[in-house]
Amino acid sequence: MAFDLLIKNGRVIDGSGTPAFRGDVGVRKGKIAALGKLHGAATRTIDADGLVVAPGFIDTHCHYDAQVTWDPLCTFSCYHGATTVIIGNCSLALAPVRRGAEERLEEFLSYVEAIPMEALRTVNVTWETIAEYMAILDRRLGVNVGNLIGHTAVRYYVMGSESQGRAATSNEIAAMRGVVRDGIKAGALGLSIDRNKSHFDPQGIAIPSAWAEEGEIFALGDVLTELGTGVIQSGGGREAELKNRLMTRVAEATGRQVVYNNLEQQVRQPEAWKKLMSLVDETVKAGIRANPMCTPLTKELRFTMHNTQVFRGVPSWHPILIAQDDEKLRAYRDPEVRKKLHQEVVEWTIDMPGSTLGRNWYDTITVVEPVLPKNKSFQGKSVRKLAEAQGKGIIDAFLDLVIEENLDTIFSNTAVGYDKEATTKILNYPNAYIGLSDAGAHVQFRGGTGYSSLLLGYWVRQEGIMSLEHAVKRLTFDNASVFGIYDRGLLRPGLAADITIFDPNTIRVLPADVVHDFPAGAWRVRELATGVHYTIVNGRVLIENGIPTGALPGCVLRNSLYQQRAQV
């Protein structure tokens, strides 16, 4: 048999979880043609001796919705072996959109996901419908892209400015159902909703999806039941599940797979992950598909007080965060403002449902990089230690440094995944899916694209928490299955030739740096990998030894209903 691509002598880990074997993988016309000891001519041969040959990783929680229009490789996920990314999460999407409403829709994505608005304004929005958006993406892609229908986008499309502030009428819900129906028929992988109370627009108002009553969510989910396809993803699902089992109830009512954010060990609720696990066990035992996602990442957010999400949702802090810098400095000097901040986040005198700030934030936020030489002794100190060293209160010590350094001090907040034992149990929990890179979001605060390299390099090789075969299955077949991508995630003859070739002895995340490669001169954090030798999409090499080849072999991935109709 002749092959377009022949990968020889690799350690084949096929994504099923079964033991690796030494063998070859042959590719023809974008699909896996054969596995084993293969002979025959090939247009190109790759010697994978000493390397793992695995299915391409599926990055299930991304926010590349705008970036993909100027960056068809969706960097930097593909540098870590991702061959598929899924966008439209947490109710946020760029379609459908009415003419003249483009910037407002971009603002929702920008503020929630911390993507520079100056870059989003450069997007040439030539589409209106979800189908049109997907068709435009399909013309020029490096990786494969699957998209979810964002509830916020749909609600804003139907209700306009009134999508923030009130419940939808029956007619409006019917109109939204029609938009969702059209999007699913066009091939979208599902619907995304959002119950996260800390997701605001730039004016400090909750995004449209947050205003929906439960009946609206159930009505939109019912469209997927009607059509018999699609997954439902939810931002803020953890709190909704802990509160009243909403994720389980949506899954039970619709019969669809629900995945939600997220199962993690948090500083502010250090034991909540155990309670969520017990609820998920009950759900699974009842035969209901409502599962959280988890991540190997420790969420370390670097920030300055020019631009931060850390204090969003704190009543007195929130309006200051969205003000101009001179107004910020004026507010931080005001004794009355400081008094209110002390009451809210040191004494905790009020309930703040829209805040994600931990009660011991002054222990988890540290000074990473002071600006002034006189303040270098503060480097590495927590805000609490900073205050103790100067004999000041928490708020005074923090804001005095912020003002003295003109908002330029770099801080770090580590609020998730700090407990190694808890994270080990979470990553091995069979009823959660590993993903949540959040790639394309929070681009000036952290990376995240390297979650797969971190899992394989740190958690598997260094810590030994699971077998390499199981880790690959978690990154490939499991994620493909939950999102209904049935032609990928395994190395099997007839399936798409999405392949990652990596060195299990060297794969790791490289230290992050900053690049100014976004439109309009915007910068972002870059997170690359070492040990990932090839990323192959639909049988063509996309990344070779950390360098893009110039190929654009990706496509939009569409649901099973669309594929069945296309075959008729």
Side-chain angles (χ1 to χ4, degrees):
M1 181 185 293
F3 302 104
D4 299 324
L5 176 65
L6 180 60
I7 304 168
K8 297 282 290 184
N9 306 314
R11 179 183 173 186
V12 180
I13 297 181
D14 66 8
S16 68
T18 54
F21 64 91
R22 185 173 176 83
D24 311 328
V25 178
V27 175
R28 290 185 72 245
K29 297 182 179 180
K31 297 184 182 298
I32 306 291
L35 295 94
K37 192 171 183 63
L38 305 179
H39 301 283
T43 303
R44 179 176 183 184
T45 299
I46 293 175
D47 185 359
D49 187 29
L51 305 178
V52 167
V53 181
F57 305 143
I58 298 174
D59 196 345
T60 56
H61 190 101
C62 301
H63 292 281
Y64 288 123
D65 304 71
Q67 184 178 327
V68 67
T69 66
W70 71 75
D71 173 18
L73 273 65
C74 293
T75 54
F76 297 100
S77 292
C78 55
Y79 286 82
H80 295 272
T83 54
T84 292
V85 301
I86 296 177
I87 62 176
N89 287 282
C90 299
S91 85
L92 300 163
L94 293 185
V97 58
R98 297 192 187 279
R99 186 64 58 204
E102 300 93 342
E103 183 164 328
R104 182 58 176 157
L105 191 59
E106 290 164 355
E107 283 185 348
F108 298 141
L109 179 64
S110 171
Y111 199 68
V112 172
E113 300 303 341
I115 305 168
M117 193 62 197
E118 59 266 34
L120 298 190
R121 288 194 184 100
T122 69
V123 176
N124 182 23
V125 179
T126 59
W127 60 83
E128 177 177 347
T129 67
I130 296 163
E132 290 168 347
Y133 174 71
M134 295 169 69
I136 287 171
L137 295 189
D138 222 359
R139 297 173 189 168
R140 185 172 175 266
L141 284 175
V143 293
N144 303 309
V145 173
N147 71 291
L148 302 170
I149 300 167
H151 186 192
T152 281
V154 172
R155 201 170 207 266
Y156 182 63
Y157 182 79
V158 170
M159 298 176 64
S161 61
E162 293 190 23
S163 61
Q164 294 172 279
R166 66 171 175 84
T169 66
S170 58
N171 287 339
E172 288 166 338
I173 291 175
M176 283 187 259
R177 281 172 53 87
V179 174
V180 172
R181 185 178 295 107
D182 289 344
I184 294 295
K185 287 181 177 179
L189 296 182
L191 169 72
S192 73
I193 60 176
D194 192 18
R195 299 282 89 185
N196 193 324
K197 294 180 179 179
S198 67
H199 283 176
F200 303 99
D201 67 12
Q203 294 73 41
I205 303 170
I207 60 173
S209 181
W211 294 92
E213 295 180 341
E214 282 191 8
E216 180 180 325
I217 294 171
F218 281 88
L220 299 187
D222 181 63
V223 176
L224 277 62
T225 307
E226 170 193 317
L227 297 176
T229 194
V231 64
I232 299 172
Q233 184 274 338
S234 178
R238 176 186 63 247
E239 299 305 322
E241 184 71 0
L242 289 170
K243 179 181 179 181
N244 61 18
R245 307 297 298 273
L246 178 61
M247 300 296 101
T248 294
R249 289 186 289 117
V250 170
E252 184 175 27
T254 62
R256 305 309 308 168
Q257 171 73 62
V258 171
V259 290
Y260 58 92
N261 305 3
N262 57 337
L263 177 63
E264 63 185 12
Q265 198 269 344
Q266 296 181 326
V267 170
R268 67 189 182 95
Q269 294 177 305
E271 300 298 314
W273 65 277
K274 297 177 182 178
K275 181 178 179 181
L276 182 59
M277 262 192 193
S278 67
L279 294 181
V280 176
D281 287 341
E282 293 175 8
T283 297
V284 171
K285 187 176 181 180
I288 301 168
R289 296 179 297 169
N291 304 82
M293 301 197 73
C294 63
T295 179
L297 298 170
T298 297
K299 291 187 180 176
E300 178 188 359
L301 292 177
R302 291 197 172 201
F303 66 94
T304 71
M305 293 304 287
H306 287 289
N307 181 18
T308 180
Q309 295 182 302
V310 172
F311 302 104
R312 286 184 182 180
V314 177
S316 295
W317 222 321
H318 197 97
I320 301 172
L321 299 176
I322 61 179
Q324 298 298 314
D325 283 353
D326 59 340
E327 296 174 21
K328 288 186 178 81
L329 290 167
R330 190 179 306 114
Y332 292 150
R333 290 188 180 98
D334 188 335
E336 285 303 312
V337 170
R338 292 188 176 205
K339 181 179 178 181
K340 289 179 181 178
L341 294 178
H342 177 83
Q343 292 171 343
E344 291 173 0
V345 298
V346 178
E347 295 182 352
W348 295 92
T349 56
I350 62 171
D351 183 40
M352 295 180 288
S355 173
T356 59
L357 192 67
R359 285 182 176 266
N360 62 334
W361 63 272
Y362 32 77
D363 292 319
T364 63
I365 292 178
T366 58
V367 180
V368 173
E369 196 173 314
V371 175
L372 301 176
K374 67 184 284 291
N375 293 330
K376 291 301 180 183
S377 62
F378 298 149
Q379 189 166 349
K381 280 187 165 61
S382 68
V383 173
R384 182 200 289 273
K385 295 295 184 183
L386 179 69
E388 291 174 349
Q390 300 177 87
K392 296 180 179 179
I394 295 293
I395 294 297
D396 286 336
F398 181 60
L399 294 184
D400 283 350
L401 178 61
V402 167
I403 292 169
E404 184 180 29
E405 300 200 333
N406 200 37
L407 309 175
D408 292 327
T409 316
I410 298 176
F411 297 95
S412 172
N413 182 33
T414 302
V416 171
Y418 69 98
D419 187 316
K420 185 182 293 186
E421 182 179 351
T423 303
T424 297
K425 291 179 180 178
I426 288 169
L427 292 175
N428 278 293
Y429 182 52
N431 297 324
Y433 294 97
I434 293 179
L436 283 177
S437 73
D438 232 11
H442 312 286
V443 296
Q444 295 181 340
F445 299 124
R446 59 179 172 84
T449 54
Y451 80 102
S452 54
S453 298
L454 182 67
L455 178 69
L456 298 170
Y458 175 73
W459 291 102
V460 174
R461 182 179 66 243
Q462 182 173 327
E463 296 299 318
I465 70 165
M466 66 178 72
S467 71
L468 188 57
E469 288 88 347
H470 186 59
V472 168
K473 178 176 179 286
R474 298 282 267 158
L475 295 170
T476 59
F477 177 71
D478 286 359
N479 286 341
S481 299
V482 76
F483 279 87
I485 307 170
Y486 300 121
D487 60 343
R488 294 160 209 270
L490 288 171
L491 298 181
R492 291 281 189 275
L495 298 189
D498 290 351
I499 302 168
T500 298
I501 303 176
F502 66 92
D503 186 341
N505 297 313
T506 63
I507 187 170
R508 65 182 176 90
V509 183
L510 291 174
D513 60 1
V514 170
V515 289
H516 294 260
D517 64 350
F518 262 26
W523 60 273
R524 60 171 170 156
V525 173
R526 174 172 61 180
E527 189 173 72
L528 300 177
T530 190
V532 180
H533 289 239
Y534 296 90
T535 303
I536 299 167
V537 177
N538 294 314
R540 296 170 63 190
V541 177
L542 181 72
I543 304 289
E544 182 171 352
N545 295 319
I547 300 173
T549 64
L552 294 176
C555 64
V556 170
L557 301 183
R558 301 176 192 259
N559 62 47
S560 57
L561 174 68
Y562 179 93
Q563 294 183 37
Q564 290 165 7
R565 291 182 172 182
Q567 294 170 3
V568 175

